[in-house]
């Protein structure tokens, strides 16, 4: 397997830091927590989608496309970063925004929504949950074609096999850093949404026999559905690389920290975002990394992770969304 066979654009100059979180570890009185700082990836305000876009945008350019089309929720980090990559490459970008929560799109909202405007999105189409998302995307591509342009459709979250290669690469990066620093991990904890991040990590870790269990914390779906989606994408990704797929028994995606639903706040998320900010000055987000950290904290309190163990939290980014959740996060 050679990842270098796949065309790739570079949006981050080097590895992201892998650093200890001593104050957070002390506050919890549990395992030694480390963070893989993928919130510090390149493109505007960073986050996990940057790694996937390195492969996806390279493919768009190889196909001679002039416009990136993608889809996400109104506060989508993925949409922000796709738009940022388009700007870097001299491409245009059009977005389909899905109101997974009815009425959640407000053109004047803060956070990522504001950044779509600042970064100069070419067009936005808003659809309601349950509407035919695919039809809206195809219409967008058709409109461009009618003008003699060529759109490149990136799936939600950049989560297809090509995008997941970004997290195959990240798993290799983690293995290299772990060896370099001389620390081994008892587990990796990561937010699990559209699956590209978690599935890519699974494939990358298994490809180098990096044996720390990878524990996903779901942000939207029930456990069984998420685990089946994860396995499917992991199988597709392994096939693209022509290597063996991870085993079904290696796929774990806990659903106890979804809270009331996708993007909806929970008390555990608020506690996790505050605690991480106040101990480590690291900004999580309300939709993904805050819920993933809530999961890690919950697992420590349950005694699943113990003192003497080492856990790596993959910080997938998302902090711009904080500014759209000030009401929930501000302490009165
Ligand atoms: C998209 C996203 C995730 C989830 O990653 P998937 O690859 O969609 O599972 C986690 N954290 C942040 C900040 C994200 O934007």
């Amino acid at each position: 397997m050679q990842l270098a066979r796949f065309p790739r654009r570079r949006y981050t100059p080097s590895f992201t830091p892998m650093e200890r979180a001593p104050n957070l570890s002390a506050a919890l009185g549990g395992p030694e927590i480390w963070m893989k700082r993928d919130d510090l990836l390149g493109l505007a305000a960073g986050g996990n989608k940057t790694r996937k876009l390195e492969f996806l945008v390279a493919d768009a350019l190889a196909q001679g496309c002039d416009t990136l089309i993608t889809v996400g929720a109104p506060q989508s980090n993925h949409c922000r970063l796709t738009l940022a990559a388009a700007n870097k490459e001299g491409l245009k970008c059009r977005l389909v925004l899905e109101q997974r929560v009815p009425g959640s799109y407000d053109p004047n909202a803060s956070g990522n929504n504001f950044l779509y405007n600042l970064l100069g999105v070419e067009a936005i189409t808003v659809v309601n949950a349950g509407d035919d998302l695919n039809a809206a995307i195809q219409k967008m591509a058709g409109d461009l074609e009618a003008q003699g342009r060529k759109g490149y459709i990136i799936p939600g979250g950049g989560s297809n096999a090509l995008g997941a290669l970004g997290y195959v690469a990240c798993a290799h990066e983690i293995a290299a850093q772990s060896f370099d620093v001389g620390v081994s991990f008892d587990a990796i904890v990561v937010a699990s949404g559209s699956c590209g991040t978690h599935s890519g990590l699974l494939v990358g870790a298994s490809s180098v026999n990096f044996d720390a269990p990878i524990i996903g914390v779901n942000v939207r779906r029930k456990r069984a559905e998420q685990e089946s989606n994860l396995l499917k994408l992991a199988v597709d990704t392994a096939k693209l690389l022509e290597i063996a797929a991870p085993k079904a028994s290696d796929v774990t995606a806990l659903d106890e920290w979804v809270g009331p639903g996708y993007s909806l706040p929970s008390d555990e998320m608020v506690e996790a975002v505050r605690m991480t900010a106040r101990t480590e000055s690291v900004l999580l987000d309300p939709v993904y990394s805050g819920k993933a950290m809530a999961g890690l904290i919950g697992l420590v309190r349950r005694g699943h992770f113990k003192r003497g163990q080492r856990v790596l939290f993959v910080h997938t980014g998302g902090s711009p969304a904080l500014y759209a959740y000030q009401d929930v996060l501000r302490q009165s």
Side-chain angles (χ1 to χ4, degrees), residues 27 30 48 63 192 268 322:
N48 62 343
Q63 293 186 26
S192 199
E268 292 88 346
L322 286 172

Side-chain angles (χ1 to χ4, degrees), residues 14-247:
S14 59
F15 286 11
T16 58
M18 193 177 82
E19 58 193 26
R20 286 184 60 179
N23 301 335
L24 178 62
S25 306
L28 291 171
E32 186 176 302
I33 298 169
W34 287 63
M35 291 198 206
K36 175 63 174 163
R37 297 291 308 274
D38 270 14
D39 56 318
L40 301 178
L41 285 164
L43 299 177
N48 62 343
K49 303 313 179 304
T50 296
R51 287 192 192 266
K52 305 178 188 184
L53 287 162
E54 291 191 332
F55 291 94
L56 294 164
V57 176
D59 189 43
L61 292 170
Q63 293 186 26
C65 296
D66 53 50
T67 306
L68 303 178
I69 297 174
T70 199
V71 52
Q75 280 295 335
S76 167
N77 300 300
H78 167 66
C79 287
R80 177 213 349 130
L81 288 167
T82 301
L83 173 55
N87 285 349
K88 282 273 204 194
E89 304 291 359
L91 305 172
K92 300 287 186 200
C93 178
R94 297 188 169 205
L95 302 173
V96 175
L97 299 182
E98 184 196 10
Q99 300 195 80
R100 292 171 194 169
V101 178
S104 55
Y105 177 68
D106 167 6
N108 297 315
S110 182
N112 284 308
N113 213 305
F114 163 67
L115 295 176
Y116 304 155
N117 179 281
L118 184 69
L119 290 163
V121 68
E122 190 178 49
I124 289 178
T125 299
V126 180
V127 300
N128 294 315
D131 284 0
D132 191 342
L133 207 55
N134 206 35
I137 296 165
Q138 293 304 329
K139 178 171 182 313
M140 205 170 243
D143 290 349
L144 287 173
E145 208 177 317
Q147 297 170 29
R149 290 172 52 179
K150 192 170 176 193
Y152 182 88
I153 297 173
I154 296 178
S159 285
N160 56 16
L162 195 59
L165 294 186
Y167 273 86
V168 174
C170 180
H172 295 176
E173 198 174 300
I174 289 169
Q177 285 174 311
S178 136
F179 178 61
D180 186 40
V181 184
V183 294
S184 62
F185 292 102
D186 297 291
I188 294 175
V189 173
V190 65
S192 199
S194 66
C195 298
T197 303
H198 186 172
S199 292
L201 287 173
L202 284 165
V203 173
S206 86
S207 73
V208 292
N209 291 326
F210 192 85
D211 61 3
I214 299 172
I215 301 176
V217 181
N218 296 353
V219 298
R220 185 175 185 185
R221 294 191 169 79
K222 296 303 267 183
R223 179 168 183 164
E225 187 188 0
Q226 184 71 2
E227 290 180 351
S228 123
N229 292 349
L230 284 161
L231 185 63
K232 186 170 174 304
L233 182 55
V235 167
D236 287 352
T237 307
K239 193 178 283 172
L240 181 64
L241 289 165
E242 300 178 3
I243 60 172
K247 300 192 295 283

